[in-house]
Amino acid sequence: MNFEEKMKAIRPDFVPADAYFRPEFVVQEKKMLWPHTWLMACREEQVAKPGDYYVFDIADESIIIVRSSDGIIRAFHNVCLHRARKLKEGSGHTGDTIACRFHGWSWDSMGKCKFVLNPEDWEETGGLGELNLPEVRLDRWAGWIFVTMDAQIEPLLEYLDPLPEIFAKFDYENTRLAWHNTLVVDCNWKVVLEAFLESYH
């Protein structure tokens, strides 16, 4: 009896345990899942004032969400264009300068390059070229900020449909975080997600 036949013999909704512990599944999720979906990153009030930022990490990717000096909320890959060091951790206020602590390269809150140490040193390699932070697609719904690394994905409201209509009466736009706690659990992310999808919990 092959694997598919064994699954059908058990029950039609059988999920193989391999998806919860095999490294090959994690590799495929990093390649095929996380870069191609809308991801809930934070609440708008977490970047309430110009210069406020919030770092959202997913798998090997890090995205910085910042309310720019013009009041617009933007998202960028949270990585220095020189040595690929993370620019920020956690959340806080960066003003109008996002700086790398390695060599001091810096960008404004709209992602435009402000400073490069000794730019003349790069002339022998053809110069530096475009140095603005790569922007990540961002959209908002009901006070939540979503990001996606997929430029071709459908608009957020289409992706969420029919949830915006279902939750329209809950007035999520006017809710605020009262308490927040992060737990790091030594298990596959699907174990935690599925535990809390169960209404018994």
Side-chain angles (χ1 to χ4, degrees):
M1 185 181 291
N2 66 31
F3 182 69
E4 288 182 7
E5 290 171 335
K6 286 179 182 177
M7 285 200 310
K8 288 179 181 176
I10 297 171
R11 62 185 211 213
D13 63 345
F14 174 73
V15 178
D18 290 16
Y20 295 86
F21 70 87
R22 289 183 65 90
E24 296 90 336
F25 275 83
V26 176
V27 169
Q28 287 304 309
E29 288 167 353
K30 288 178 182 180
K31 179 180 176 183
M32 305 299 294
L33 176 60
W34 305 123
H36 302 290
T37 188
W38 281 102
L39 301 160
M40 184 186 289
C42 65
R43 291 282 301 173
E44 288 187 44
E45 66 263 22
Q46 292 175 285
V47 287
K49 301 186 298 291
D52 286 354
Y53 73 88
Y54 185 93
V55 172
F56 173 70
D57 294 322
I58 182 73
D60 297 328
E61 301 292 335
S62 184
I63 297 167
I64 182 170
I65 296 139
V66 60
R67 188 176 292 269
S68 300
S69 56
D70 61 1
I72 295 173
I73 300 172
R74 292 180 169 87
F76 305 99
H77 287 283
N78 183 31
V79 61
C80 179
L81 298 182
H82 178 209
R83 295 295 296 272
R85 183 191 186 282
K86 282 180 78 170
L87 295 168
K88 292 288 183 182
E89 299 277 355
S91 62
H93 188 80
T94 190
D96 196 39
T97 301
I98 302 168
C100 178
R101 289 180 287 171
F102 202 159
H103 293 104
W105 287 31
S106 64
W107 293 263
D108 67 20
S109 58
M110 291 185 278
K112 304 291 184 194
C113 184
K114 289 178 73 171
F115 175 77
V116 172
L117 182 66
N118 301 327
E120 66 279 2
D121 291 349
W122 297 86
E123 294 306 318
E124 292 184 16
T125 63
L128 290 168
E130 177 62 58
L131 287 177
N132 295 335
L133 289 177
E135 198 158 353
V136 175
R137 194 168 160 198
L138 176 148
D139 205 344
R140 298 179 288 178
W141 170 71
W144 291 101
I145 295 173
F146 289 76
V147 293
T148 182
M149 293 169 272
D150 188 345
Q152 305 304 317
I153 197 172
E154 68 266 39
L156 178 63
L157 288 180
E158 288 181 26
Y159 178 84
L160 293 175
D161 185 60
L163 295 179
E165 183 179 349
I166 292 170
F167 291 115
K169 296 180 182 177
F170 287 86
D171 196 26
Y172 283 127
E173 292 88 345
N174 294 312
T175 60
R176 295 293 178 267
L177 288 174
W179 180 76
H180 180 264
N181 189 30
T182 299
L183 299 174
V184 178
V185 182
D186 188 20
C187 70
N188 185 279
W189 66 273
K190 292 185 286 291
V191 174
V192 176
L193 176 69
E194 291 173 8
F196 287 94
L197 284 176
E198 185 181 324
S199 59
Y200 190 61
H201 296 160

